[in-house]
Amino acid sequence: MRRRSITVALGGVALLPLLALAGGYWTISHPRRVDLPLPEGSVALDVPEGRALLASAATADLDGLLASFQSQEKSSWCGVASSVVVLDARGDHLTQDAFFTPEATAVRSWWRVTLTGMPLDDLAGMLRAHGADVEVHHADDVDEAAFRAALRTNLATPGDWLVANYDRSALGESGGGHLSPLGGKPSAKR
């Protein structure tokens, strides 16, 4: 009788890491949507000023991005959602789960993306696995003026898209790195 209770107790202890992993996966797979306040100087799209700005921002690719927009399905899938949005805007139609083709998974596995997200270079590799022509530029390799010039060129050129990797805290948001497609109106300012 005593031996059985020890076995059960040891079995329960052995299940703790599995339960912790399952709980972590549940949290990642069911992100809480929290509407954060916009940083100072930003304008929401659901107010008259925001709608007016959006209406004046008819650029080469913005309509396609807006029509293709979808929220990330898992808290670590910002790169996946961004990729699916730009691939859909160019005419490919796939779901976030379908993004993980064998070729894309060879770059970074579903599990690795789900548990740890993805760096910019892996995002590029996964997009290439879907036939996209991708250029990667790191902030350390370009100054602000060159970055702004690249943004203006991208926003004025139909058939190309830009996905930015940035630190959310720079916008007053919680969290760390984030990937997002960019769209807007080219500006001569700055």
Side-chain angles (χ1 to χ4, degrees):
M1 183 76 142
R2 184 174 180 93
R3 184 174 198 190
R4 187 171 193 206
S5 65
I6 291 172
T7 304
V8 170
L10 289 177
V13 171
L15 286 176
L16 288 177
L18 183 60
L19 291 172
L21 182 61
Y25 176 73
W26 175 263
T27 301
I28 289 169
S29 296
H30 298 83
R32 267 185 328 146
R33 181 180 163 102
V34 177
D35 290 330
L36 300 172
L38 288 174
E40 188 173 326
S42 298
V43 179
L45 294 177
D46 61 353
V47 299
E49 182 184 0
R51 285 191 291 274
L53 285 170
L54 186 59
S56 71
T59 64
D61 299 316
L62 182 61
D63 291 339
L65 288 174
L66 291 172
S68 301
F69 178 78
Q70 53 185 278
S71 297
Q72 62 195 65
E73 293 177 6
K74 299 186 183 339
S75 61
S76 57
W77 279 21
C78 56
V80 175
S82 296
S83 297
V84 170
V85 167
V86 297
L87 290 171
D88 187 69
R90 79 170 192 168
D92 299 2
H93 300 289
L94 66 155
T95 65
Q96 291 180 38
D97 276 324
F99 179 71
F100 290 93
T101 62
E103 298 80 10
T105 300
V107 176
R108 193 166 182 92
S109 74
W110 182 97
W111 279 106
R112 195 162 179 210
V113 172
T114 300
L115 296 176
T116 64
M118 76 174 86
L120 190 60
D121 291 320
D122 285 356
L123 173 77
M126 294 180 86
L127 283 165
R128 287 184 188 111
H130 285 275
D133 182 22
V134 180
E135 293 179 29
V136 177
H137 301 276
H138 294 272
D140 293 345
D141 300 335
V142 66
D143 65 14
E144 183 180 344
F147 176 71
R148 288 180 181 278
L151 282 174
R152 279 192 287 283
T153 299
N154 173 270
L155 293 172
T157 307
D160 68 349
W161 296 269
L162 194 143
V163 175
N165 184 355
Y166 62 94
D167 183 349
R168 294 178 72 143
S169 66
L171 296 176
E173 298 177 352
S174 61
H178 187 62
L179 292 156
S180 179
L182 297 183
K185 182 177 180 179
S187 171
K189 292 180 182 177
R190 298 177 89 181

